[in-house]
Amino acid sequence: MSALAIEALLHEGKAKKVFQTNRAGVVAVQFKDDATAFNGEKFSQLGGKGLLNWEISARLFEALERQGQPSHYLGCLEPGWMAVQELEIVPLEVVLRNRAAGSLCRQLPLAPETPLQPALLDLYYKDDALGDPLLTEARLELLGLVSAAERQELERQARQVNAGLRRLLEPLAIELVDFKLEFGRNQAGQLLLADEISPDTCRLWDCSAGANPEQRILDKDRFRQDLGGVVEAYGEVLKRVQGLGAMPRNYL
Ligand code: TMP
């Protein structure tokens, strides 16, 4: 087979770019240093963030795969780049919460840190212009984005990812507070985990940090709340996640 060649830009999101390749069904994803929050209202460039999220995401996709949880991830290209299966992305943000934090505490009378068992699973409609609104059952049905069977499958996989990630992160002294997943359909119509799994898309708390609650934050809340040390915190996550195994595989 000839070497993989990266071709036209297909899509540019807030944190990644997606490129066509010369191989059918394979696209290349480049992780950007851009950091955004509050639906793009807050913006900054954080040197090194792209590389950190790329490697954290690659390692977590591989570790989940070893647990039997498939995803779009195929392997790494050069640093900052990965090859993934081309999917038709379902415009839903699947958010799982193991503890109350973030928007949940702004919208409901729940004290921050309240444990949520079973994990709360919410679906949001992925549309920046609309501000990614929270969906109700009726609105989800109205939009007809997924069949009933797909909805069930998506939730099953999301809960499996939650259990799998918690199992991986707990020995690394990282608590998975909440996170966002995206899914897409492959050519066979199967729903596959997509996007990324990184401190941009997860709330991660350092179980070994001291009593100061700000010190334990290892994720994009450092950027959202202007706490500083964003890249350093992501670097700490990577250092611990590197403990899960060898270098992520190359896609050939
Ligand atoms: P929230 O508390 O702001 O609703 O966020 C819940 C989780 O989802 C948190 O881990 C951050 C992640 N998230 C994203 O990855 N992208 C988004 O656009 C939003 C709003 C949240």
Side-chain angles (χ1 to χ4, degrees), residues 37-213:
F38 313 116
N39 203 14
E41 268 173 49
K42 185 175 167 125
F43 174 86
S44 190
Q45 284 247 315
L46 300 173
K49 183 187 78 99
L51 278 177
L52 290 163
N53 279 353
W54 158 71
E55 190 177 337
I56 292 167
S57 218
R59 286 176 179 274
L60 290 177
F61 279 136
E62 288 192 19
L64 287 171
E65 186 184 272
R66 289 194 290 272
Q67 293 179 347
Q69 168 63 50
S71 78
H72 69 159
Y73 172 83
L74 296 170
C76 290
L77 302 168
E78 58 192 270
W81 291 75
M82 60 174 66
V84 306
Q85 271 193 57
E86 186 169 25
L87 301 178
E88 179 205 350
I89 294 293
V90 176
L92 289 175
E93 299 203 338
V94 184
V95 173
L96 273 101
R97 300 174 194 268
N98 296 305
R99 271 187 199 275
S103 69
L104 188 67
C105 296
R106 293 195 295 275
Q107 294 170 356
L108 295 181
L110 279 171
E113 303 189 27
T114 304
L116 305 167
Q117 229 183 3
L120 180 70
L121 189 157
D122 281 321
L123 300 178
Y124 296 78
Y125 180 53
K126 183 177 161 63
D127 186 316
D128 284 340
L130 297 175
D132 299 339
L134 175 64
L135 292 172
T136 61
E137 288 293 330
R139 288 179 185 204
L140 182 64
E141 214 168 294
L142 180 70
L143 290 177
L145 299 171
V146 283
S147 67
E150 282 180 322
R151 163 83 190 279
Q152 225 180 9
E153 172 63 10
L154 195 140
E155 294 208 3
R156 185 191 67 77
Q157 287 197 41
R159 290 195 183 276
Q160 186 170 295
V161 172
N162 185 36
L165 284 177
R166 290 178 74 174
R167 210 177 321 141
L168 291 167
L169 296 175
E170 198 186 78
L172 308 177
I174 296 176
E175 179 176 344
L176 181 63
V177 174
D178 59 28
F179 61 102
K180 184 261 302 184
L181 300 176
E182 294 181 28
F183 291 84
R185 296 180 192 93
N186 66 12
Q187 279 169 353
Q190 288 161 331
L191 273 182
L192 266 188
L193 176 62
D195 195 44
E196 66 182 276
I197 303 177
S198 76
D200 266 10
T201 60
C202 303
R203 280 197 173 89
L204 303 170
W205 288 352
D206 183 357
C207 307
S208 64
N212 177 353

